[in-house]
Amino acid sequence: MKVARFSTGGDPRFGIVDGDELVVLRGDPLFSGFDTTDERVPLDDVRLLAPVIPRSKIVCVGLNYAEHQTEMGEESRSEPLLFLKPNTAIVGPGEFIQLPPIAGPIEHEGELAVVIGKIAKSISAEDYADYVFGYTIANDVTARAVQNADGQWARAKGFDTFCPIGPVIETELDFSELEITTQVDHESRQHGNTRDMLHSIPDIIAYASNIWTLLPGDLILTGTPAGEKGFTDGQVVSVTIDGIGTLTNPARNRDRV
Ligand code: MG
């Protein structure tokens, strides 16, 4: 089932994708369940929004694909490398990635993201499914020179608009072997498969939940495959994952906003 958060001009609402329509839900399915109304809205008539706004955190895994680890010149490590992005970095499908006026390249990182559905504290990997609401697509946008200069990643990965997500949340997804493709202006830049993750999704959720309590709506970005990643003002970045869809965001320099 694909869950969308959308607007027709008023407050955000939620719906279930049914062909080219949305079946409108009462309330937020993360907290209210899938309580459907009689209302249907054509997908063409809505603006899709970021499918969730994390209340507390976006947990990200760095270097979770061997080829990406190699291209970054990093050694393999036995435990996941985690960092956080602020929820103010979230934007939805079609929204601009705003490029701050800083030196060095801005890069895309197309990633599969887990949406947490239930409070998770110190859980074990085999129980992970009880705590997952669904899966969406994320772009872990990164100011690479800033990342290298700062020695930690809060600024480089935390600028406003540096975490596009969407277009929907898929609640039933076999994530064991999914193609992840990132394009810039329809040119393929990254192409990977979730089977090549170094740390599995159940292991990552369990590991993260032993550090922080995970709350409903929190996101876990599971890492990006290798590939050339720079993009600039006026270009359009699209991340496609089998079974979920395509997340597309144009980029523009912030001084034009
Ligand atoms: Mg990343």
Side-chain angles (χ1 to χ4, degrees):
M1 182 161 59
K2 288 184 169 61
V3 179
R5 182 167 164 268
F6 69 96
S7 172
T8 50
D11 290 339
R13 293 189 288 169
F14 292 84
I16 297 169
V17 178
D18 183 21
D20 56 5
E21 291 183 322
L22 285 171
V23 178
V24 178
L25 295 171
R26 274 187 197 86
D28 181 340
L30 262 170
F31 303 98
S32 317
F34 297 99
D35 189 8
T36 56
T37 67
D38 293 334
E39 185 180 357
R40 286 173 166 264
V41 184
L43 269 168
D44 282 347
D45 293 352
V46 311
R47 183 163 76 92
L48 291 180
L49 307 173
V52 63
I53 305 291
R55 288 185 172 187
S56 75
K57 56 196 166 296
I58 303 161
V59 177
C60 306
V61 187
L63 308 172
N64 201 28
Y65 289 77
E67 273 186 57
H68 177 56
Q69 203 169 62
T70 302
E71 75 177 350
M72 297 295 287
E74 297 280 346
E75 303 291 317
S76 61
R77 53 186 77 226
S78 58
E79 295 186 343
L81 172 64
L82 301 188
F83 62 96
L84 300 173
K85 285 167 96 89
N87 61 1
T88 43
I90 294 282
V91 287
E95 288 194 79
F96 281 102
I97 300 167
Q98 295 181 21
L99 309 177
I102 53 169
I106 309 292
E107 300 188 350
H108 53 75
E109 295 190 356
E111 310 196 5
L112 176 63
V114 179
V115 183
I116 296 296
K118 196 167 122 184
I119 294 174
K121 184 174 176 58
S122 302
I123 70 165
S124 58
E126 54 263 37
D127 295 331
Y128 83 96
D130 293 343
Y131 299 90
V132 172
F133 179 77
Y135 302 85
T136 191
I137 301 170
N139 185 352
D140 175 21
V141 178
T142 304
R144 195 67 71 195
V146 172
Q147 182 185 25
N148 294 333
D150 284 2
Q152 50 81 21
W153 305 358
R155 186 167 66 111
K157 289 172 174 282
F159 285 99
D160 286 356
T161 75
F162 271 27
C163 193
I165 59 169
V168 295
I169 297 170
E170 173 56 65
T171 58
E172 295 145 30
L173 188 72
D174 176 357
F175 53 73
S176 57
E177 200 165 343
L178 298 175
E179 297 285 326
I180 303 181
T181 307
T182 303
Q183 297 186 324
V184 174
D185 292 345
H186 303 294
E187 177 191 323
S188 183
R189 294 289 189 84
Q190 292 184 277
H191 190 77
N193 192 293
T194 55
R195 66 171 172 259
D196 296 323
M197 282 187 191
L198 298 172
H199 300 283
S200 72
I201 284 175
D203 285 347
I204 292 165
I205 296 171
Y207 185 81
S209 80
N210 279 277
I211 304 167
W212 308 285
T213 300
L214 302 175
L215 301 183
D218 281 355
L219 288 171
I220 300 180
L221 274 54
T222 57
T224 196
E228 201 281 309
K229 302 181 179 72
F231 65 97
T232 58
D233 179 65
Q235 293 194 299
V236 176
V237 184
S238 293
V239 185
T240 300
I241 299 182
D242 293 343
I244 305 176
T246 298
L247 169 67
T248 298
N249 298 88
R252 69 177 173 191
N253 289 334
R254 188 191 278 180
D255 61 8
R256 284 175 48 193
V257 175

